[in-house]
Amino acid sequence: MDAAITIAIFITVFVVIYLEAVDRRVAVILGAAAIVVCGLLAGFFSLQMAIESIYFETLTLIFGMSAISAILTRSGLFTLIATRTANHAMGNGWWVLLMFVLVTYGLSLMVNNLAAMVVILPVTLSVCAQMKINPVPLLIAEIIASNLGGASTMVGDFPNMIISSAGNLHFIDFIGGMMVPCLVLLAVLLGYFQYRRKEFAAGVENGGSTGGRMDEPATDPHLMKVGLYVLGLSLVGFLLGDITGLRPGWVAVIAGIVVLFLAGGEGGGEKDWFAACGGQDIVFFACLFIMVGGLVAAGALDGVVWLIQTISDGQGVLMMLALMWISAFLTIFLNAGATTAFFVPVASSMDAAIADPTVWWALSLGVLAGSSAALTGATAGPLAATHLDRFIKAHPGTADAIPAGGHLDFKGYLYWGLPVMGIFLVLSSFYVIAVAL
């Protein structure tokens, strides 16, 4: 009964989020409170257990990397890079897609991939409007590239931050375990879009309208130096973590405090800084961890473990593959961060039984594939759709370059994303088998 109640609360929360009935943070706060109350009344989940279920290192990573990302964004560095990329590629539609995909991937390696998309999207839409080309395939390619960049390192996205804390992994572990497969998948992604380039608008196929050069944005040299300096030191701290014994969470929180101190009061009001430091994401994931902790305490995840063991017949490699494929399909509906938090206890039990860190790479690659399949798989998807809708309203002529039925909605995204998910899962399966054996 306890398991059934907690599962019902969990499902209700994410149905509400999926339907956008209330803000996702409000939904998880209420869901966490409901599970804690039920746990206290039924005796299976205490306040102490709720606090212990929070991965505080993940929250410190979110704080530190969000603060650095905010300072670099406000300095104008990312917009400057995007604008120069656009000016360099202007006049060649395929070159625009290639350059923006690579830039998005590169930015997502070291800063939150959502922050990278925030600055890439407006420039992409402006270039597409000038060249009269369909922006939808470019936006989808950038979303997937941001997922790949985020999955390549420990600090690029929320799933890997969660995995780092749960698996007691360091920055160098992710470089060794995830960078190579993600680079291979990036090359495959570019090959996939090159193969389907004839389905784009005419502009991507034969260049479209050249348009004029974009004016470079104003930058803040002080914030740029502060952000780059602290980011560089943070990366050094992450890399030296194994030697110094300093966990990534401590490096991130120190970096966040330092970058805010050096930046002074140049960020705006208190609400602006709360958002810039990932305050809303910290609240969301803290409550999400409590919800998952309640599921574990109620025994609700025992069925998932049983399913994976049954499918794999208890064989280590097959268990990893089952974990990867199941997490991929669930990510389509739950979002990458939520799916990772949901499967972390399952992966932890598998890691304890198998004693192979490949379990974590299987989970990360599964979430990566699922987040690339659907518009709701990653937060960057709805963000891109919102930007496109606003841009079309402000520039109605942009809609002329988009074929009928080709809008960036759930169905339209699946047309491009599902094949990518299938390719990613097949190639990732070979990788997991090769590394685990």
Side-chain angles (χ1 to χ4, degrees):
M1 178 61 74
D2 295 337
I5 293 174
T6 54
I7 291 174
I9 294 173
F10 191 87
I11 293 175
T12 299
V13 166
F14 281 93
V15 168
V16 169
I17 293 175
Y18 188 81
L19 296 176
E20 299 181 348
V22 299
D23 182 82
R24 69 187 187 115
R25 284 164 289 273
V26 174
V28 295
I29 290 173
L30 295 176
I35 287 180
V36 169
V37 170
C38 290
L40 290 173
L41 294 176
F44 69 85
F45 197 47
S46 65
L47 290 176
Q48 181 179 350
M49 293 172 66
I51 294 174
E52 291 175 349
S53 65
I54 299 174
Y55 293 103
F56 286 99
E57 185 173 55
T58 300
L59 305 186
T60 59
L61 283 169
I62 292 173
F63 163 75
M65 300 316 297
S66 295
I68 294 173
S69 298
I71 294 301
L72 288 175
T73 300
R74 291 175 179 179
S75 74
L77 174 63
F78 298 153
T79 307
L80 178 63
I81 293 173
T83 302
R84 288 186 176 179
T85 300
N87 287 333
H88 183 72
M90 194 71 76
N92 186 319
W94 170 250
W95 193 240
V96 168
L97 187 145
L98 175 64
M99 293 294 290
F100 271 94
V101 164
L102 294 178
V103 168
T104 303
Y105 175 83
L107 292 179
S108 299
L109 289 173
M110 300 305 172
V111 298
N112 186 283
N113 57 350
L114 188 60
M117 288 297 295
V118 167
V119 294
I120 287 290
L121 287 171
V123 181
T124 301
L125 292 171
S126 297
V127 170
C128 290
Q130 289 190 37
M131 295 180 62
K132 297 180 175 61
I133 60 178
N134 180 10
V136 172
L138 277 72
L139 296 181
I140 294 174
E142 288 172 356
I143 292 169
I144 299 174
S146 74
N147 294 339
L148 284 166
S152 297
T153 65
M154 182 188 71
V155 296
D157 62 8
F158 296 137
N160 277 7
M161 293 182 189
I162 297 172
I163 289 173
S164 168
S165 302
N168 199 32
L169 301 169
H170 289 272
F171 190 84
I172 195 67
D173 296 322
F174 283 89
I175 296 296
M178 290 296 295
M179 180 67 77
V180 171
C182 285
L183 284 172
V184 171
L185 296 178
L186 176 64
V188 171
L189 173 69
L190 291 172
Y192 170 77
F193 275 86
Q194 170 71 8
Y195 175 75
R196 297 185 62 173
R197 68 188 184 278
K198 291 183 180 180
E199 299 180 48
F200 293 9
V204 175
E205 179 65 17
N206 50 36
S209 173
T210 301
R213 290 179 61 83
M214 302 179 66
D215 294 331
E216 292 190 357
T219 58
D220 187 322
H222 171 64
L223 289 182
M224 192 179 299
K225 289 179 182 178
V226 167
L228 290 174
Y229 178 73
V230 176
L231 176 61
L233 289 180
S234 301
L235 296 178
V236 172
F238 291 143
L239 291 171
L240 296 178
D242 284 332
I243 299 175
T244 61
L246 192 64
R247 285 295 304 163
W250 282 108
V251 175
V253 75
I254 292 171
I257 294 172
V258 169
V259 78
L260 293 178
F261 174 78
L262 294 179
E266 301 181 47
E270 294 181 3
K271 291 183 178 180
D272 291 334
W273 279 119
F274 178 77
C277 296
Q280 295 176 338
D281 293 316
I282 289 172
V283 171
F284 175 82
F285 281 105
C287 293
L288 179 61
F289 291 145
I290 292 174
M291 290 177 62
V292 174
L295 289 173
V296 174
L301 295 186
D302 293 344
V304 179
V305 176
W306 173 85
L307 176 62
I308 291 176
Q309 290 177 339
T310 301
I311 293 174
S312 63
D313 196 27
Q315 299 183 37
V317 176
L318 293 181
M319 288 177 66
M320 296 178 199
L321 294 178
L323 173 66
M324 183 174 68
W325 282 73
I326 293 173
S327 63
F329 281 98
L330 192 59
T331 300
I332 295 176
F333 305 100
L334 280 190
N335 189 278
T339 301
T340 305
F342 182 83
F343 276 101
V344 152
V346 178
S348 295
S349 64
M350 291 173 57
D351 185 31
I354 303 173
D356 189 341
T358 310
V359 168
W360 299 110
W361 313 144
L363 176 58
S364 183
L365 288 168
V367 171
L368 163 64
S371 63
S372 301
L375 189 66
T376 53
T379 309
L383 176 71
T386 301
H387 271 69
L388 178 59
D389 290 341
R390 290 175 180 172
F391 192 84
I392 290 176
K393 289 181 180 178
H395 307 83
T398 305
D400 296 336
I402 302 177
H407 288 279
L408 188 57
D409 53 16
F410 189 83
K411 181 179 178 181
Y413 190 105
L414 286 176
Y415 177 72
W416 294 92
L418 274 181
V420 171
M421 172 182 167
I423 296 170
F424 280 12
L425 282 176
V426 170
L427 294 178
S428 297
S429 297
F430 285 121
Y431 174 74
V432 168
I433 294 171
V435 173
L437 291 180

